Amino acid sequence: MRFPAEPFKIKVVEPIQKTSYEERVHLLEQAGLNIFGLPAEKIYIDLLTDSGTSAMSDHQWGALMIGDEAYAGSKSYYKFEQAVKSITGYKDVIPTHQGRVAENLLFSMIVKKGIIIPNNSHFDTTRANIEYHDGQALDLVIDEAYHPEVYHPFKGNMDLGKLEHTITKFGAERIPVCFLTITNNSGGGQPVSMQNIREVKALLARFNIPLFFDACRFAENCFFIKQREHGYAEKSIAEIAREMFSYADGCTMSAKKDGLVNIGGFLALNNDELAKRITNLLILIEGFPTYGGMAGRDLEAIAVGLQEVMDESYLAYRTSQVQYLAELLEKENISIIKPPGGHAVYVDAQHFLPHIPPAQFPGQALVVELYKKFGIRAVEIGSLMFGNKNALAAASHPTLELVRLAIPRRVYTTMHMTYVAEALTELFKSRNQIKGLRLTYEAPVLRHFTARLETVPPH
Ligand SMILES: *Cc1c(COP(=O)(O)O)cnc(C)c1O
């Protein structure tokens, strides 16, 4: 079977409603054509993000009930710690309520002015936490990652030439750690191969630089290794994960992705001295080391989720649901990033709307239309997200105008994906009628969250 059916049946349902076209037009107007301003209950299919939107299993819901809420030494913490240790092999496990706190704790200790942190591609919170501490975040992913049409099985790979050049240029003493994001979220959810991880580790070892993973989607990365890399077809996901983590010295993790929960995260490492200093800061800003900003029940749910996420029938269904949507779009000649990643399909909005220039936000125009006509929420990753006033004045724009369709885990059925594909297909047929947008309000930083826009009137 190319597209395996869902490896679960549905025990609890949450009704979703299809609003009327008129209501959506009104809601969009109120929100200033910004989908972040929409009430979620007015959305039919919400593909804004895969973060914290997973459906938990009956086992996870059951585990919530046995959460131990002791302030110190909670039984649930030890289960959580054991789950993290058994997957990563790291001995110091520090719980946090989200991935970005793990990043903040780590970078508080090792980043200051003059420090360089390389990554294949930094996720926005990772970059922001480095820059907040006056460090410099460098993206050193292979060039193929910047070409949507080019097929590469591991488009998240680090460019070893760029990495070596960076180390010799700045000096190893300015690089306290190198990161690899698995899968590479900012680059389209693309995986990193085991060979690349091994080679990155070997290069870093020559200069005594530790390697850390941004491990949010570690299980999806392992599944791609199993499917696409020679020598791994017969290995279990747990075995692949164990080998993968063995090449790194630690990881940050948002459990809102491959932890299959709605909140949570951790930092894990093999460095008692550093872990001790981080734990002192944890107590100051998050909580005691055996709960770190989470309830005992959250720790229970993560412990179960981390095991469930490595189930191969789940991962086969998960990745092929993304693939299924991608293929339906490609069949209609809608251009997407190839191959689709583990958690989302990225539509090339500039190809979709060639008549709308980057200054008029083709990605956002498509996002607005998708909600207005079909009640689907996607997110723009293009000029609106990355541009700013000065960039606009200088007419400089990010190279790719993308619309991301992020798929929550175990939430929507294949029929929902069919609906999304049919919606985009219909829009594609009448795309000449879609108009560009212009800003009426923008905040000085991270403007896409609160921007207000209007349609550019025809002249
Ligand atoms: C989501 C995410 C983070 C941040 O995690 P939060 O739980 O949202 O704070 C960091 N890195 C990557 C790759 C992510 O996808």
Side-chain angles (χ1 to χ4, degrees), residues 3-46:
F3 296 110
E6 286 78 1
F8 51 81
K9 55 183 179 174
I10 296 164
K11 180 141 51 185
V12 177
V13 296
E14 178 183 348
I16 47 180
Q17 66 166 331
K18 233 171 151 179
T19 49
S20 69
Y21 177 77
E22 290 70 28
E23 192 177 356
R24 289 194 296 271
V25 169
H26 175 68
L27 288 165
L28 275 170
E29 249 163 54
Q30 281 191 321
L33 304 186
N34 188 335
I35 47 87
F36 283 101
L38 296 172
E41 65 169 340
K42 301 291 184 189
I43 290 161
Y44 182 48
I45 298 181
D46 199 351

Side-chain angles (χ1 to χ4, degrees), residues 35-226:
I35 47 87
F36 283 101
L38 296 172
E41 65 169 340
K42 301 291 184 189
I43 290 161
Y44 182 48
I45 298 181
D46 199 351
L47 307 183
L48 180 66
T49 178
D50 67 320
S51 178
T53 53
S54 300
M56 292 205 294
S57 68
D58 51 355
H59 283 119
Q60 287 178 293
W61 283 104
L64 291 184
M65 290 303 294
I66 53 171
D68 174 3
E69 307 302 342
Y71 187 95
S74 153
K75 193 166 70 190
S76 305
Y77 172 74
Y78 296 110
K79 275 193 216 166
F80 163 84
E81 184 192 40
Q82 184 47 40
V84 175
K85 281 185 172 174
S86 74
I87 293 167
T88 65
Y90 303 145
K91 57 184 202 288
D92 307 301
V93 179
I94 299 167
T96 62
H97 82 277
Q98 286 204 206
R100 68 194 68 184
V101 182
E103 295 166 356
N104 185 278
L105 290 167
L106 177 66
F107 297 139
S108 294
M109 297 298 152
I110 61 174
V111 176
K112 57 180 195 290
K113 200 167 167 47
I115 291 294
I116 312 284
I117 310 287
N119 202 331
N120 42 1
S121 305
H122 286 278
F123 182 65
D124 52 13
T125 60
T126 322
R127 171 177 292 280
N129 270 299
I130 293 166
E131 292 174 352
Y132 180 76
H133 290 99
D134 295 324
Q136 202 182 334
L138 294 184
D139 291 344
L140 307 177
V141 70
I142 55 171
D143 286 337
E144 284 88 338
Y146 297 107
H147 300 283
E149 288 298 311
V150 176
Y151 179 87
H152 188 295
F154 292 102
K155 248 178 169 173
N157 280 356
M158 180 81 92
D159 187 315
L160 292 157
K162 290 183 199 170
L163 180 58
E164 180 150 17
H165 175 76
T166 301
I167 299 171
T168 38
K169 181 173 161 198
F170 295 103
E173 65 287 354
R174 287 178 63 187
I175 307 175
V177 67
C178 173
F179 260 77
L180 269 177
T181 305
I182 51 173
T183 60
N184 195 22
N185 186 7
S186 303
Q190 302 289 334
V192 180
S193 72
M194 193 73 88
Q195 186 185 340
N196 188 253
I197 292 170
R198 225 180 276 125
E199 287 170 352
V200 167
K201 177 63 187 172
L203 174 59
L204 294 172
R206 274 171 43 208
F207 299 94
N208 252 323
I209 299 171
L211 172 64
F212 267 58
F213 291 134
D214 179 340
C216 298
R217 297 175 183 80
F218 76 96
E220 289 169 12
N221 201 89
C222 289
F223 190 71
F224 284 123
I225 288 175
K226 184 180 171 92

Side-chain angles (χ1 to χ4, degrees), residues 355-373:
H355 59 288
I356 301 181
Q360 291 181 11
F361 310 114
Q364 187 65 12
L366 179 54
V367 164
V368 167
E369 217 60 23
L370 197 54
Y371 177 69
K372 196 192 320 176
K373 298 264 169 63

